[in-house]
Amino acid sequence: MQQRRRRVAAVVLLQKILVCAICTIALVGLLSGYVHVLPSSRVSDFSDTYKLPTQHEFNYQRLSAEKRWAKEEAPPHLSKLQSPPHLSKFDGASGNLDFEKLWKPPEDRDFVPCIQPSSNYAAPDQSRGYLLVRTNGGLNQMRTGICDMVAIARIINATLVVPELDKQSFWQDTSNFSDVFDEDHFINALANDVKVVKKLPKELSSATNVVKHFRSGSGLGYYRDTIGSLWEEYQVIRAAKSDSRLANNNLPPNIQKLRCRACYEALRFAPKIEAMAKLLVDRMRSYGHFIALHLRYEKDMLAFSGCTHGLSNAEAKELKTIRQKTAHWKVKNIDARGQRAKGRCPLTPKEVGIFLNALGFPSKTPIYIAAGEIYGGDTRMADLRSRYPMLMSKEKLASVEELEPFTNHSSQMAALDYIVSVESDVFIPSYSGNMAKAVEGHRRFLGHRKTITPDRKGLVRVFGKIEKGVLKEGTKVSDRIIEIHKKLQGSPRRRKGPVPGTKGMDRFHSEESFYGNPLPDCLCQRVSQDVNTSIRIRLDR
């Protein structure tokens, strides 16, 4: 009897222990749903700067990205400051084949950066004079222009004075070079290529200099002979403009590689910009995979391109007035319907929504809007937001205090968008402008990250049939849009040359931009002839 009581007591004790254990586990689970570590809402240390990866780092990052799309880990929650309360964490079905296809980057075919100069590349020759540069355009137009000027300085044996940023364009940005870029790094990184100084020597400040409009798309001979001959009379040459002054093709390999070193290694953004951009990238990553959408539906672009589809008469008139008053925009009278039919207009926010849906991106997809103020504001964005409510931007991800150092400086704000776009899982531009080309080229250089380039000419025909009621959104439309974009997702290919039959500047403008696709000049392919032999590198020519 006593033995039986002991057994009953033991069973009761065991039950109590199990109940306690279950309660403890439940309590821990409950608390874990509400108690979490919040990332800092401030950029606390600019010394630990965020840098876009160099050629030495991109292989590791690509491997990490491939692991990330294959199995999504639950991201940490964001604080109220970081995340609007109505947005939920993205929890795409990572085991789903369609989900993997959406986010998986294209095969890179073993292309890797190869931008080091050849063995006979020498240090800069004795400088023959100083090259002053006044850049023009927005951030990315200035960036590529600066990189071209580095190469031109090498060709004409010039000492390059740190370029002056455009302060007179549409954006009226007062930023100096050091506000946008890491000036000291720029100078030091190019030490073996071109001598760069911060200012013109005082003794030359009053010297006679020649202001020259370098001819667009010019090659080695023009700069070496025509521009180089100016040193016989002048000690200082001033380039009046910087954009598209150098040819895309048919330049010596060492000059092409120098352009890439300047663009992807030397021209680093200022520490405070890179630190803030890292914060934005981290906050977007907390939602999971995300698209960076360069929604080029801003007033200046619509006015410049003459695109008015879906706008009111008053809006179309306003844009035309802006175009007429902007002196350096040469084309004033534009056929809006013709522009759209030729695919020369940016997609509207509504069209972007149809496009993303047709590609198969679910409504919970986090989207970073890399753009300035959208023309028409929230009203114009309503259709896109109704399909994809998780529309984020730097203004939503960061507080007013965090963005305050960059506000009212369009180039610095654009730099934040640029970095987030380069680091996104998928980049989609609604228009093939300067930023779209620069970001696509950078993503190609870093391992051919997925970039979906809309075939706007083809899409306009589809959208037109939808508007007329000939087609309805669904499987048929989706299959058609997916089919025409199979080969427009950033996979490796050689840069496109000029359109046959074109001449002069039309020929140059028909070429694919060097910075939009640096292959073959700055990307080489690793080729293994046999599993037992060592890997060799060849240039894809």
Side-chain angles (χ1 to χ4, degrees):
M1 188 70 175
Q2 188 174 3
Q3 187 176 3
R4 184 179 178 183
R5 288 178 179 174
R6 288 177 181 172
R7 288 178 182 174
V8 172
V11 171
V12 172
L13 179 61
L14 182 60
Q15 288 177 335
K16 290 182 178 180
I17 292 173
L18 288 173
V19 170
C20 289
I22 292 171
C23 289
T24 301
I25 292 172
L27 182 60
V28 171
L30 183 63
L31 289 174
S32 65
Y34 294 93
V35 180
H36 43 265
V37 178
L38 296 178
S40 171
S41 63
R42 294 174 178 247
V43 183
S44 57
D45 185 4
F46 289 157
S47 62
D48 183 21
T49 57
Y50 172 75
K51 299 182 289 296
L52 290 174
T54 64
Q55 61 171 326
H56 307 294
E57 301 165 331
F58 94 102
N59 277 330
Y60 169 77
Q61 295 204 1
R62 180 177 178 84
L63 180 61
S64 299
E66 289 175 349
K67 289 179 179 178
R68 189 172 63 246
W69 68 253
K71 183 178 181 180
E72 186 70 41
E73 295 181 358
H77 293 282
L78 296 181
S79 67
K80 290 182 180 179
L81 172 64
Q82 297 163 306
S83 173
H86 66 283
L87 295 181
S88 60
K89 178 169 68 75
F90 177 57
D91 55 355
S94 60
N96 184 276
L97 180 62
D98 291 336
F99 177 84
E100 293 181 359
K101 285 183 178 179
L102 284 174
W103 300 105
K104 185 178 180 180
E107 294 295 330
D108 64 5
R109 290 167 42 203
D110 289 325
F111 277 98
V112 295
C114 54
I115 60 176
Q116 296 309 309
S118 61
S119 57
N120 61 353
Y121 188 80
D125 290 337
Q126 180 66 36
S127 175
R128 299 183 65 186
Y130 290 83
L131 176 62
L132 298 177
V133 177
R134 176 174 292 173
T135 62
N136 61 290
L139 172 70
N140 293 286
Q141 198 171 349
M142 290 191 290
R143 277 187 78 249
T144 54
I146 290 168
C147 297
D148 279 355
M149 290 298 152
V150 168
I152 291 169
R154 171 84 186 189
I155 293 170
I156 65 176
N157 295 335
T159 294
L160 177 65
V161 180
V162 168
E164 177 186 346
L165 300 190
D166 189 344
K167 296 180 173 65
Q168 300 176 345
S169 65
F170 180 89
W171 300 274
Q172 297 291 301
D173 190 349
T174 60
S175 297
N176 294 314
F177 188 95
S178 59
D179 295 321
V180 180
F181 304 108
D182 187 334
E183 189 174 59
D184 290 332
H185 177 77
F186 178 72
I187 294 171
N188 295 330
L190 294 171
N192 294 324
D193 304 295
V194 174
K195 184 179 180 181
V196 184
V197 296
K198 294 184 179 181
K199 294 181 180 180
L200 191 69
K202 290 183 178 179
E203 60 270 21
L204 290 177
S205 59
S206 59
T208 302
N209 64 72
V210 57
V211 179
K212 190 73 175 177
H213 285 262
F214 294 167
R215 193 176 66 198
S216 296
S218 296
L220 188 71
Y222 170 79
Y223 285 105
R224 186 181 53 201
D225 301 332
T226 303
I227 301 301
S229 66
L230 296 174
W231 294 132
E232 298 173 7
E233 189 174 352
Y234 303 98
Q235 289 180 281
V236 180
I237 297 174
R238 181 186 292 274
K241 286 188 174 183
S242 63
D243 66 314
S244 305
R245 302 296 119 175
L246 197 56
N248 291 307
N249 305 301
N250 302 318
L251 290 170
N254 279 331
I255 292 299
Q256 298 288 59
K257 291 180 186 296
L258 173 56
R259 295 168 87 179
C260 287
R261 288 199 300 280
C263 190
Y264 304 128
E265 292 192 342
L267 201 56
R268 181 187 296 174
F269 289 112
K272 68 174 184 178
I273 290 175
E274 294 196 332
M276 186 67 235
K278 180 182 187 301
L279 206 61
L280 296 175
V281 171
D282 289 345
R283 290 174 181 176
M284 282 304 300
R285 286 245 175 270
S286 71
Y287 289 107
H289 294 307
F290 74 93
I291 294 172
L293 172 62
H294 181 42
L295 192 56
R296 195 69 169 96
Y297 204 78
E298 298 141 319
K299 183 182 290 187
D300 66 300
M301 171 49 63
L302 296 175
F304 174 77
S305 62
C307 298
T308 59
H309 180 78
L311 301 182
S312 67
N313 290 334
E315 288 172 326
K317 185 176 180 180
E318 179 189 22
L319 297 176
K320 184 175 182 179
T321 301
I322 293 172
R323 187 166 62 254
Q324 297 290 344
K325 290 183 177 180
T326 305
H328 62 276
W329 290 353
K330 297 179 181 179
V331 182
K332 302 299 182 181
N333 297 314
I334 299 175
D335 176 9
R337 289 186 178 180
Q339 284 282 90
R340 179 173 166 79
K342 294 175 183 177
R344 295 176 181 174
C345 290
L347 299 182
T348 68
K350 180 180 180 178
E351 291 169 342
V352 169
I354 297 173
F355 178 61
L356 294 177
N357 184 64
L359 291 177
F361 286 100
S363 61
K364 289 186 178 180
T365 301
I367 299 175
Y368 179 89
I369 303 296
E373 184 178 352
I374 301 301
Y375 190 58
D378 291 340
T379 302
R380 194 78 66 209
M381 292 291 290
D383 284 308
L384 177 58
R385 185 173 287 106
S386 67
R387 293 173 182 265
Y388 294 93
M390 291 189 67
L391 297 182
M392 309 299 285
S393 64
K394 50 189 174 293
E395 290 82 4
K396 287 186 178 180
L397 291 167
S399 67
V400 173
E401 292 76 18
E402 286 173 320
L403 285 179
E404 193 277 330
F406 315 101
T407 306
N408 299 323
H409 297 288
S410 62
S411 293
Q412 297 180 48
M413 295 288 270
L416 297 175
D417 284 343
Y418 180 91
I419 294 176
V420 177
S421 296
V422 170
E423 290 299 299
S424 65
D425 296 287
V426 175
F427 174 64
I428 300 177
S430 67
Y431 183 77
S432 57
N434 292 310
M435 177 170 169
K437 293 173 184 175
V439 171
E440 180 181 2
H442 205 152
R443 289 172 68 86
R444 288 180 178 277
F445 181 78
L446 294 174
H448 291 89
R449 297 173 177 179
K450 191 165 189 174
T451 299
I452 304 176
T453 305
D455 178 351
R456 296 189 305 279
K457 187 175 181 180
L459 287 173
V460 163
R461 291 194 287 267
V462 175
F463 296 150
K465 290 180 179 180
I466 292 175
E467 288 179 2
K468 293 176 182 177
V470 177
L471 280 177
K472 290 185 178 181
E473 288 188 66
T475 304
K476 188 175 180 180
V477 168
S478 180
D479 289 345
R480 183 177 298 188
I481 289 177
I482 289 173
E483 180 62 31
I484 64 178
H485 289 89
K486 277 185 176 179
K487 296 182 179 180
L488 296 174
Q489 303 200 19
S491 57
R493 60 170 176 77
R494 291 172 62 90
R495 187 169 59 255
K496 295 177 183 178
V499 173
T502 54
K503 296 181 180 180
M505 287 309 299
D506 288 337
R507 181 179 177 83
F508 171 69
H509 289 307
S510 72
E511 296 176 342
E512 186 174 16
S513 165
F514 174 83
Y515 298 103
N517 184 3
L519 193 158
D521 310 272
C522 301
L523 290 165
C524 303
Q525 193 172 26
R526 290 181 298 197
V527 179
S528 180
Q529 292 180 316
D530 188 274
V531 293
N532 296 319
T533 60
S534 60
I535 292 177
R536 64 185 177 86
I537 302 276
R538 73 174 175 84
L539 188 65
D540 186 64
R541 285 192 178 277

